[in-house]
Structures are given as C-alpha cells and as structure tokens.
C-alpha cells in the first residue's frame, strides 16, 4: 500500500520514494528522468535513446568499463531503458552495496563526458541496431501502423529514431539534451529493498543534494484526436509469414477506461503485462480471439497490447496468419468479436475469469524486489504510486457495462489503422 512508502523531495527538486522490503538482503535502485521520444522534435528523433547509451560511456570518476566491473564484483546487475515518456537506469545489488549505486548514478547525472570518439562509436552501434530492426517483419509493420495512427504527436515515432536523424545528430546536440533533462528537478529516485528508509534518505541527500536543480521538463505536447477515418496500409520485407495488425487509440493511464480496456484486452486477446520484465506466462486459450482465430485455423497466433502512457497511445491486436488464410477473412472474424463486445454485455462468469487473469498477470509482474522498485518509479511517470497500489482494486471494480462502453468508445471501426505485412520471400497470401 502507499502508506508504507517514504516520499520526500530534496531542496533541489529531486523526488525520492523508498520502500522497505526485508525479505532478502537486496536493494534495487532506480533513477527516472522525464524524457523520452515524446520530448523530441523532427531532426532529433532517437536522441533520448542515444543519450541513454552515452550514460554508459564514462565520467572522470568512472572511466568506461569500470562501473561494469564494480557491479559484477558484487554479483549485481544494472541496465537502462528509454521509452516514449521516460528514461530510467537501475542497479539491483546486495543491500550492503547501496552506496555504489548512489555514487554511480549521482555521478553520471551531471558528469558524463560524451567523448566525441565514443559518440561516433555509439552512432554506429545504434544505426546497426536500427538496421537489424528494419529486417524484422513486426518492427516494420508496427512502425508503419504507429506512424499512420498519429499525424503530429511524437508518439508516432519509434524510440530508436530514424536513419536520417541518427546520421545527422551531433555530439553537442546530445550533450545539450543531456543537460536539459538530466538534473534533480526532472528526476525521481525509487529504491526498494532491505534498508532503513530514514538512513537511506540521508545517504541520498549526501550523494545528490549538492547537484544543481535545473528546470522541470514541460509537457511537450497535447493529446491528438483519433484518426478521422479507417486507414489501411501494406508493408513488405524479408520474411515468410503474413501478419495483420490493427491499432485503435487507447486511453491514457489516468483515464478510468484504462482499467476497463485492460479487462477487455484480457477477454479479447488474453492478458498482457505492463511490466517491462514481463511475467506470468498466462495462456490466452480462453480468449475470444483465440477461439475465433486459432481454433478455427485462421491464424497461428494472436496477441493484444496496451501501454500505460501519459497521453492516449494505441491498443493493438497482432495476428500471425496461417499460410492459407485470407487477411480479409481474418479481419472480418475479428470485427465480429469486437462487435459482439459492443452489442452484448459480457457474462458475469466470463468477466470474472478475465479479471482474474489480468490480476494474476499484474501480480506476477510485481513480485520481486526489482519489480517493486520499478513500479515505485514507473507509476510516477504517468500518474502517482497510488495508481499502482490501487490497481488490483480498480480491476476488480470493472463491470460488464464498463467493458461494453469501453468497446464502443475505443474500438470504433472507422477510427483505426489496419496494417498487413506481406513477406517478399516464401510467404503466401
């Protein structure tokens, strides 16, 4: 519950959230920055992700490679992620090495070097990563569908960026982006694990308290309205399989309909995890689309997905077609199931099963110390921690009428993007 969280704010604006968990001698330390691809302009797409990479390329105190060795000696792990709405860094370590995490992150909050040679080396790495993505059918399809779903909002862009922008971004632009967003007033520290919260807060003050505040990031955009009419697109590339993806606008995480749509997703395609580390492995064989597509041999795979975001993003359905299936027939079968949700209330038994599965998926993604620390900061990026602590209660309150209304509001056939991937080699349609 939220009551067991110590929340504080340092004079320089740094927000701190601490959660004592004494089940194992471990800590997980996360630093969250309110910057991601939604803060980027055309010409600088991918700059937030590139800055994240540069945070591993050294400071005067910690030359490249030394933090990896220091963390490896403790038996711990560290990593980072860039998203549309945020960028985050974490260390999970034995509890008696918390000071190492505090030292590393407070140092690179302000002292990263952005050495020109390292910048150029990382340009090559990221361009290679993007080139690999562009050979993946589902990346090509999702990228095209995402761009077609938004006209102006930066949610239309993939976090990794575009080849043209990645070729042109310069070292000083990366460093300026870093200095603009990496500072205490735009950051949140979340730590969960085996520690004393008051003592840890004093340590955080020692390591972070002298760093200049900076200015909090302003909301860079306003939500975009739904697509004005149904859009269809086709993408081709290397592969052997035909994929269908359908994208509808989804509610922002703070919208009450987010919970109704979570249950709807569980009903329609099977439950999905909001946690970056996944979890659960719950079967979707009881979902309506599994029965309509897999059991009737129209498709070999179906999944749904929705993210917790600041602004409305996308609820998408991705279907892996059988070699002898017709995409139009598959789309018609999906439309039948969605229309059934819109026209007919779900039975109490079916909705309770869907809620139970969604709750289980959420619980599986929240159980260990790393996941607990993740949620401690993640929920604050789009709402507040009570969003997480009240999640299961909110799910349990969803009614058949809520699901029906959400299906009518968020899944209209005239406000979606339908994309099909056709393989260039070996696939049949």
């Amino acid at each position: 519950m939220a009551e067991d969280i110590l929340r504080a704010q340092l004079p320089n604006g740094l927000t701190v959230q601490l959660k004592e968990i004494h089940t194992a001698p471990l800590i997980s330390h996360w630093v969250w920055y309110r910057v991601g691809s939604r803060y980027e302009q055309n010409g600088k797409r991918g700059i937030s992700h590139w800055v994240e990479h540069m945070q591993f390329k050294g400071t005067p105190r910690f030359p490249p490679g030394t933090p990896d060795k220091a963390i490896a000696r403790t038996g711990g792990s560290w990593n980072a992620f860039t998203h549309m709405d945020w960028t985050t860094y974490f260390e999970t370590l034995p509890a008696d090495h918390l000071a190492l995490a505090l030292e590393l992150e407070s140092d690179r909050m302000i002292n990263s070097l952005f050495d020109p040679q390292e910048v150029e080396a990382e340009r090559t790495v990221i361009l290679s990563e993007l080139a690999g993505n562009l050979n993946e059918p589902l990346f090509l399809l999702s990228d095209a569908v995402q761009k077609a779903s938004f006209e102006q909002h930066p949610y239309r862009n993939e976090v990794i960026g575009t080849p043209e922008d990645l070729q042109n971004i310069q070292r000083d632009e990366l460093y300026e982006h870093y200095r603009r967003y990496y500072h205490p007033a735009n950051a949140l520290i979340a730590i969960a694990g085996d520690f004393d919260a008051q003592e840890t807060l004093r340590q955080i003050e020692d390591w972070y308290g002298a760093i200049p505040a900076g200015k909090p990031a302003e909301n860079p955009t306003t939500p975009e309205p739904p697509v004005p009419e149904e859009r269809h697109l086709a993408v081709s590339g290397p592969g052997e399989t035909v994929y269908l993806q359908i994208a509808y606008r989804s509610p922002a995480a703070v919208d009450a309909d987010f919970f109704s749509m979570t249950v709807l997703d569980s009903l329609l395609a099977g439950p999905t995890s909001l946690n970056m580390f996944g979890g659960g492995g719950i079967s979707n064989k009881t979902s309506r689309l599994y029965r309509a597509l897999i059991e009737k041999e129209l498709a070999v795979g179906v999944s749904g997905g929705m993210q917790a975001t600041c602004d409305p993003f996308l609820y998408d359905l991705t279907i892996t077609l059988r070699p002898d299936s017709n995409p139009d027939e598959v789309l018609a079968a999906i439309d039948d199931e969605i229309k059934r949700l819109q026209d007919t209330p779900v039975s109490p038994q079916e909705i309770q099963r869907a809620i139970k599965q969604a709750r289980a998926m959420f619980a599986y993604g929240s159980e260990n110390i790393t996941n607990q620390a993740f949620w401690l900061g993640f929920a604050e990026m789009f709402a507040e921690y009570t969003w997480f602590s009240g999640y299961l209660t909110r799910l349990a309150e969803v009614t058949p009428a809520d699901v029906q209304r959400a299906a009518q509001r968020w899944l209209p056939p005239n406000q979606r993007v339908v994309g099909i991937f056709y393989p260039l080699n070996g696939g049949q349609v």
Side-chain angles (χ1 to χ4, degrees):
M1 297 297 292
E3 294 75 28
D4 61 4
I5 306 302
L6 173 61
R7 181 182 175 94
Q9 190 170 60
L10 305 193
N12 61 8
L14 180 66
T15 301
V16 178
Q17 299 216 130
L18 305 176
K19 184 175 185 178
E20 295 185 26
I21 303 174
H22 300 290
T23 55
L26 297 170
I27 61 94
S28 191
H29 168 271
W30 292 69
V31 183
W32 297 80
Y33 297 97
R34 289 180 174 85
V35 61
S37 59
R38 79 191 292 261
Y39 293 80
E40 297 169 357
Q41 305 297 320
N42 289 343
K44 296 184 181 180
R45 291 164 294 186
I47 194 169
S48 299
H49 174 247
W50 195 344
V51 166
E52 177 224 303
H53 277 228
M54 296 310 301
Q55 288 294 85
F56 291 88
K57 298 304 176 181
T59 69
R61 188 187 305 176
F62 292 102
T66 55
D68 301 87
K69 295 175 183 176
I71 289 170
R73 283 195 294 268
T74 73
S77 62
W78 72 328
N79 210 333
F81 308 99
T82 306
H83 184 260
M84 295 176 291
D85 296 326
W86 45 260
T87 305
T88 189
Y89 303 81
F90 79 94
E91 297 82 22
T92 298
L93 303 165
D96 56 353
H97 290 284
L98 171 60
L100 174 61
L102 296 173
E103 182 179 11
L104 286 173
E105 293 298 350
S106 62
D107 181 46
R108 65 178 177 175
M109 181 181 282
I110 194 168
N111 293 320
S112 287
L113 290 170
F114 288 74
D115 177 83
Q117 289 186 327
E118 295 281 7
V119 167
E120 291 308 313
E122 214 56 32
R123 186 195 307 275
T124 301
V125 168
I126 296 172
L127 283 168
S128 176
E129 181 183 346
L130 178 57
N133 289 343
L134 293 173
N135 283 317
E136 292 294 329
L138 285 176
F139 180 90
L140 286 171
L141 180 58
S142 295
D143 181 44
V145 168
Q146 192 169 325
K147 281 183 168 58
S149 298
F150 296 93
E151 293 286 348
Q152 302 295 329
H153 198 293
Y155 279 174
R156 74 189 306 270
N157 300 317
E158 292 284 349
V159 170
I160 195 171
T162 64
E164 57 270 28
D165 288 0
L166 294 172
Q167 290 281 9
N168 292 325
I169 292 170
Q170 298 301 305
R171 183 267 175 194
D172 288 350
E173 293 173 310
L174 289 165
Y175 190 76
E176 180 185 357
H177 194 77
Y178 164 63
R179 290 277 29 99
R180 181 177 179 183
Y181 294 105
Y182 282 63
H183 53 74
N186 199 48
L188 179 146
I189 291 181
I191 310 178
D194 189 18
F195 56 80
D196 176 86
Q198 291 293 344
E199 172 57 29
T200 297
L201 179 59
R202 286 191 288 272
Q203 290 181 275
I204 292 170
E205 290 169 342
D206 290 341
W207 285 107
Y208 290 92
I211 299 175
K215 290 180 62 177
E218 296 180 0
N219 189 343
T221 187
T222 55
E224 183 170 301
V227 294
E229 59 185 3
E230 185 177 34
R231 296 172 179 170
H232 285 252
L233 59 90
V235 178
S236 59
E240 299 181 349
T241 304
V242 179
Y243 295 96
L244 172 68
Q245 188 170 85
I246 309 163
Y248 302 85
R249 187 75 78 243
S250 65
V254 295
D255 190 314
D257 272 354
F258 187 91
F259 298 91
S260 301
M261 283 294 295
T262 298
V263 176
L264 184 153
D265 174 47
S266 185
L267 278 164
L268 190 62
T272 53
S273 176
L274 292 174
N275 193 302
M276 294 193 68
F277 303 98
I282 298 172
S283 169
N284 70 343
K285 291 185 177 180
T286 60
S287 71
R288 292 188 175 189
L289 287 182
Y290 186 96
R291 295 196 297 265
L293 300 178
I294 312 299
E295 291 183 358
K296 295 184 179 178
E297 299 188 342
L298 292 173
V300 295
V302 58
S303 62
M306 187 173 63
Q307 298 187 51
T309 50
C310 292
D311 293 335
F313 185 51
L314 297 176
Y315 173 64
D316 58 65
L317 297 165
T318 302
I319 298 89
T320 307
L321 272 64
R322 292 175 60 91
D324 56 350
S325 291
N326 183 301
D328 291 337
E329 185 180 359
V330 174
L331 182 60
I334 295 168
D335 284 344
D336 287 344
E337 292 303 322
I338 291 175
K339 191 172 189 307
R340 191 154 67 96
L341 282 173
Q342 294 168 334
D343 292 347
T344 308
V346 180
S347 71
Q349 295 80 10
E350 190 179 9
I351 199 168
Q352 286 306 311
R353 181 175 66 231
I355 290 173
K356 182 178 179 181
Q357 290 177 335
R359 285 165 58 92
M361 181 68 82
F362 181 78
Y364 288 140
S366 310
E367 55 190 7
N368 65 32
I369 286 174
T370 298
N371 284 338
Q372 285 284 320
F374 166 83
W375 276 107
L376 196 57
F378 177 45
E380 293 280 335
M381 292 298 103
F382 53 81
E384 55 188 20
Y385 185 71
T386 52
W387 188 95
F388 166 77
S389 61
Y391 187 93
L392 296 178
T393 299
R394 297 285 295 277
L395 275 188
E397 293 171 349
V398 174
T399 67
D402 292 331
V403 171
Q404 184 178 12
R405 179 181 46 76
Q408 293 167 351
R409 177 186 176 190
W410 295 100
L411 306 182
N414 63 330
Q415 294 180 355
R416 68 183 181 183
V417 175
V418 178
I420 303 174
F421 175 86
Y422 293 108
L424 291 175
N425 49 302
Q428 300 178 11
V429 181

